[in-house]
């Protein structure tokens, strides 16, 4: 119970809050500097769009996995799935 709870809390904090905030900060920085000649030497004009596309892809992927984790936790806590079933944990 502790492992699945700690994993869920960590996943929620980092993948659902920290990562989207970091992605948004990177994307806004590239958007604001896309026409700056000094910045385009390091970051080409198309980098803003690549950051946006990949960021959206991974944010939606994290939302998909969060949905799966929540469904798994509901099954575990309601008792429809045993705690050690489908975990490949051998009972001693």
């Amino acid at each position: 119970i502790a492992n699945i709870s700690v994993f869920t809390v960590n996943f929620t904090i980092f993948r659902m809050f920290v990562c989207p905030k970091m992605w948004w900060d990177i994307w806004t920085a590239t958007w604001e500097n896309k026409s700056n000649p000094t910045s385009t030497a390091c970051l080409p004009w198309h980098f803003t769009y690549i950051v946006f596309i990949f960021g959206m892809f991974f944010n939606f992927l994290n939302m998909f996995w969060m949905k799966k984790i929540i469904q798994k936790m509901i099954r575990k806590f309601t008792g429809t799935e045993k705690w050690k079933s489908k975990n490949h944990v051998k009972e001693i």
Side-chain angles (χ1 to χ4, degrees), residues 35-57:
S35 60
N36 183 349
T38 307
S39 296
T40 55
C42 179
L43 303 172
W45 64 271
H46 63 281
F47 187 73
T48 300
Y49 304 106
I50 291 172
V51 168
F52 181 78
I53 290 168
F54 278 97
M56 290 300 287
F57 172 75

Side-chain angles (χ1 to χ4, degrees), residues 21-31 43 47 51:
K21 171 69 170 105
M22 287 173 43
W23 168 75
W24 181 255
D25 291 342
I26 292 169
W27 185 74
T28 54
T30 59
W31 183 262
L43 303 172
F47 187 73
V51 168

Side-chain angles (χ1 to χ4, degrees), residues 16-88:
M16 302 309 292
F17 297 113
V18 174
C19 288
K21 171 69 170 105
M22 287 173 43
W23 168 75
W24 181 255
D25 291 342
I26 292 169
W27 185 74
T28 54
T30 59
W31 183 262
E32 291 168 356
N33 294 308
K34 71 178 184 172
S35 60
N36 183 349
T38 307
S39 296
T40 55
C42 179
L43 303 172
W45 64 271
H46 63 281
F47 187 73
T48 300
Y49 304 106
I50 291 172
V51 168
F52 181 78
I53 290 168
F54 278 97
M56 290 300 287
F57 172 75
F58 285 112
N59 285 328
F60 282 118
L61 186 63
N62 285 334
M63 284 189 264
F64 168 77
W65 285 115
M66 189 70 210
K67 177 182 162 247
K68 293 294 213 180
I69 291 168
I70 290 171
Q71 289 172 341
K72 181 75 143 178
M73 291 213 33
I74 289 170
R75 286 194 310 268
K76 296 283 187 181
F77 281 111
T78 58
T80 56
E81 185 177 306
K82 293 182 182 178
W83 281 100
K84 291 191 178 183
S85 69
K86 299 183 182 177
N87 289 342
H88 305 290

